[in-house]
Amino acid sequence: STMKVRLPGLHGTISVNFVFILMALTQFSLAETLTIAFAATLVQCLWRPKTRPKPVQVLFNTSTVLISTALAYASAHAVPGQDHPFIALAPAATVFFVMNTGMISLVLALLQKSTLLAVWKQCHLWAFPYYLVGAAIAAAVDQSSQTVGWRLSLLALPAMYLIYAYYKLCVSSHETQTRAS
């Protein structure tokens, strides 16, 4: 939750916490998964923000993630082929992505007097591969923890950090190009 990528043109961030939420979908009950999602989102909102968030912003962010998590959980458990985690996690990540970014884009569109689709394309469309790679990592961790134990699955953490660093670099490059034009 503390590894955040600042979104171009916005005051918001994305975090790698969704990967842990996806891992929780395969390992825990809905209540346990929602607890993890809530705690991760609180940390994301309150850990060293550039500006102190208003309580309504924290409430909105946690509610958005909880709704997205619950729907992703339902999606993951509705897909046949639970013995192959990626088959369940790819649709779950897609549902999480669409719901989470959709609700955020809707509020931003209302605030900016723009269309939902325009805001969503500008702010979130580029992040979809990030969510699919996160689903692949969560599936790999789930699979490896079942076959070789959870300790070895911790080797996925450096891969998660590299993905975070890559997106941070991409966003930084995009912002530099935007300022130069």
Side-chain angles (χ1 to χ4, degrees):
S1 292
T2 61
M3 293 186 339
K4 304 173 192 176
V5 176
R6 201 145 294 282
L7 298 170
L10 290 177
H11 299 291
T13 60
I14 58 174
S15 170
V16 298
N17 68 6
F18 78 93
V19 177
F20 292 97
I21 293 169
L22 291 176
M23 284 189 269
L25 295 176
T26 64
Q27 300 291 320
F28 302 121
S29 69
L30 176 60
E32 292 166 327
T33 302
L34 290 173
T35 301
I36 289 168
F38 179 75
T41 306
L42 273 182
V43 170
Q44 182 181 352
C45 291
L46 302 174
W47 184 269
R48 292 193 267 169
K50 279 197 171 185
T51 58
R52 185 177 178 96
K54 296 175 184 169
V56 70
Q57 291 170 312
V58 175
L59 179 63
F60 173 75
N61 289 337
T62 54
S63 299
T64 299
V65 170
L66 290 176
I67 291 167
S68 301
T69 299
L71 292 171
Y73 188 93
S75 171
H77 291 274
V79 172
Q82 295 295 319
D83 50 332
H84 300 290
F86 189 72
I87 292 172
L89 288 177
T94 302
V95 167
F96 186 91
F97 170 76
V98 169
M99 293 307 302
N100 191 42
T101 61
M103 288 185 275
I104 292 167
S105 295
L106 178 61
V107 169
L108 291 174
L110 292 171
L111 291 173
Q112 297 172 359
K113 296 182 172 100
S114 183
T115 66
L116 169 66
L117 192 56
V119 171
W120 187 77
K121 281 182 179 178
Q122 174 196 0
C123 301
H124 300 289
L125 181 61
W126 60 272
F128 184 60
Y130 185 66
Y131 281 74
L132 288 180
V133 170
I137 289 172
V141 168
D142 179 66
Q143 193 67 41
S144 71
S145 69
Q146 292 177 21
T147 57
V148 294
W150 67 269
R151 288 182 182 96
L152 195 56
S153 64
L154 292 177
L155 292 175
L157 293 176
M160 288 170 52
Y161 179 77
L162 289 174
I163 293 166
Y164 157 75
Y166 171 76
Y167 265 86
K168 193 167 180 133
L169 180 66
C170 286
V171 168
S172 174
S173 173
H174 176 359
E175 287 176 345
T176 302
Q177 288 174 356
T178 303
R179 280 189 225 129
S181 356

